[in-house]
Amino acid sequence: MARADVAVFTYNMAQIERFWIDFVPCTSERLPHQVAALLTGREALIHIEPHFVLLLQEVFKPSAYVRLKEASQKLGFRMLPATAQEASENGLVTITNLPVLESRFVAFTQDNFAQKGILYTLLGIGPGHKLAVANVHTVFSNTSVLNETHIKQFQEIGKFITQTRQKYVPFIVGGDFNAGPDMKYATEFYPMAQTIWHRGLIPVMAEHKMKWVDYVGSTWDNANPLILNPSTIIKAMNYWEQGSSKWELSDSKMDHIFITDDLKVKSSRLVMKEFTAMKCPGRTDTKGLGPLSDHYGLMVQLKD
C-alpha cells in the first residue's frame, strides 16, 4: 500500500424488510438520514480522509440499495455488488472512492437466515499498490445454545483470508461479527458470550495473522430506542427463543475491524451515533429525535 491514509467504516444499517414488515422499525424514515450521514451531507463520513471504504451490512431492502447507488454514482464512487438483487440476498454493500481491481462474494456454507458471507474487494491505492478488504456479517448465537454455524463461519473467514491474501498487500476484515469481548446476557445459561469471542473468533484471526482494533464504547447500546422498543416480529422471536420480548444482550462491542501488521492505526471511534428528527413512533426522544440504526458504526483511520 502506498503512503496514504485511509478511513475504514463498518456499519449495520438495519435496512431489513420482509413481506412489507420492518424487522427494525422505520426503515424508510431512517434511510435518507443514513445516506446523508454516510455520503451526501456536509459532514458526511466520507470527508474525514482522502481515501475511504464503507463496509455496510443489512442493506437487504432494495430501496436502500438504490438510494446508496444513486448517491455513490453522483459522487463518482464505486459501489458493490452490482445489483440490488445481490444485496437483497446477503445484505452486504461496499462503497469506496478507490479504484476497484477485483470483487467477488463468497457465501458461507451454512447460514440460519439470509445467505450471508464475505464480500471481498481488491482496491488500488497509489501506483502499483493494493489494499484488500473483506466485508462480513455472521449469524448470532443466543444464550440457549452455542450456534455451531457461528463458529464455522469464523473458520471460513479465516480460511478465506489465507487463500486470498497476496504477498505485500495489506488486508482488512470488517463487519458485524455478533461477538465481542464484553458481550453479556441477562440470563447466561452457559458462558457463550466469552466462548464465541475468546475461543471462537480471536484464535481464528490470530492464526491468520489478523489483529483486532479496539475502541471505546459499544456499537450495540441498550439505551438506543430501536433496541429498547423493538419491532413486533423481533419481540415475538425474542419471546420464542428466551421467554422475554426484550433483547437479552447488554451493551456490547459486536462490530469489528481486523487488520494485518503492515497497517497502523491512527485512531478508532464510534460513528453514526447522532439522533435526528424523524417520524418513528415509540423510538424517538422527547424532542422527536431518533437513532439511525440499532447499531452504531465504527471508524478506524489507518496508515501503512
Side-chain angles (χ1 to χ4, degrees):
M1 186 172 124
R3 293 289 171 183
D5 296 342
V6 60
V8 181
F9 307 88
T10 182
Y11 179 54
N12 185 320
M13 293 184 68
Q15 284 290 330
I16 178 169
E17 177 190 79
R18 291 290 185 268
F19 306 109
W20 302 281
I21 299 173
D22 285 349
F23 273 52
V24 180
C26 306
T27 56
S28 297
E29 292 80 1
R30 292 185 285 108
L31 179 58
H33 303 293
Q34 290 177 317
V35 174
L38 290 168
L39 295 168
T40 60
R42 182 176 298 178
E43 299 182 3
L45 296 183
I46 60 168
H47 301 308
I48 293 176
E49 289 281 8
H51 305 294
F52 74 86
V53 184
L54 294 175
L55 307 177
L56 306 176
Q57 302 86 42
E58 291 195 3
V59 190
F60 288 106
K61 193 172 178 178
S63 60
Y65 177 93
V66 170
R67 288 289 291 268
L68 290 167
K69 187 76 170 182
E70 289 174 348
S72 297
Q73 289 179 332
K74 184 175 181 179
L75 294 166
F77 302 150
R78 294 88 181 171
M79 177 169 149
L80 301 156
T83 68
Q85 177 61 37
E86 293 173 87
S88 70
E89 293 171 357
N90 56 68
L92 299 176
V93 166
T94 296
I95 303 173
T96 183
N97 63 348
L98 293 168
V100 175
L101 307 178
E102 177 188 343
S103 182
R104 66 182 184 274
F105 173 75
V106 178
F108 293 132
T109 57
Q110 297 178 18
D111 198 88
N112 293 353
F113 179 62
Q115 185 52 75
K116 295 189 180 75
I118 305 164
L119 179 58
Y120 170 78
T121 310
L122 184 64
L123 304 170
I125 184 163
H129 296 275
K130 302 175 183 177
L131 176 66
V133 182
N135 182 2
V136 304
H137 188 190
T138 69
V139 296
F140 181 75
S141 291
N142 62 29
T143 55
S144 61
V145 61
L146 179 61
N147 191 340
E148 295 296 337
T149 299
H150 205 171
I151 297 290
K152 185 172 178 59
Q153 290 182 353
F154 292 161
Q155 294 169 343
E156 290 183 13
I157 291 169
K159 183 178 179 181
F160 178 84
I161 294 168
T162 296
Q163 291 177 340
T164 308
R165 189 176 178 189
Q166 301 177 19
K167 195 173 184 179
Y168 306 124
V169 176
F171 207 116
I172 300 168
V173 180
D176 179 355
F177 291 85
N178 280 308
D182 59 349
M183 289 181 70
K184 296 181 181 66
Y185 290 84
T187 304
E188 189 93 39
F189 295 113
Y190 66 98
M192 186 285 301
Q194 291 74 32
T195 300
I196 205 74
W197 176 258
H198 294 295
R199 300 184 191 175
L201 182 58
I202 290 300
V204 166
M205 288 303 189
E207 178 185 352
H208 298 281
K209 313 300 182 187
M210 304 292 294
K211 61 181 181 181
W212 175 55
V213 179
D214 197 358
Y215 57 95
V216 176
S218 303
T219 55
W220 182 268
D221 179 4
N222 270 347
N224 185 323
L226 291 172
I227 296 173
L228 282 172
N229 187 14
S231 65
T232 301
I233 191 167
I234 292 296
K235 288 179 181 178
M237 291 170 63
N238 287 344
Y239 191 84
W240 175 262
E241 291 183 349
Q242 62 200 30
S244 171
S245 62
K246 296 181 179 180
W247 286 106
E248 199 174 10
L249 185 65
S250 66
D251 296 357
S252 299
K253 293 177 167 72
M254 66 168 62
D255 305 87
H256 305 286
I257 291 175
F258 293 84
I259 61 175
T260 46
D261 285 332
D262 41 10
L263 292 169
K264 302 294 185 290
V265 177
K266 287 173 51 179
S267 69
S268 62
R269 65 180 174 90
L270 297 179
V271 293
M272 303 295 286
K273 292 183 62 179
E274 299 78 9
F275 281 37
T276 190
M278 67 174 74
K279 293 182 179 179
C280 188
R283 283 91 181 181
T284 56
D285 61 19
T286 56
K287 297 179 180 179
L289 305 178
L292 300 182
S293 176
D294 56 354
H295 287 242
Y296 299 141
L298 170 63
M299 177 189 72
V300 175
Q301 292 172 274
L302 299 167
K303 61 182 178 180
D304 67 347

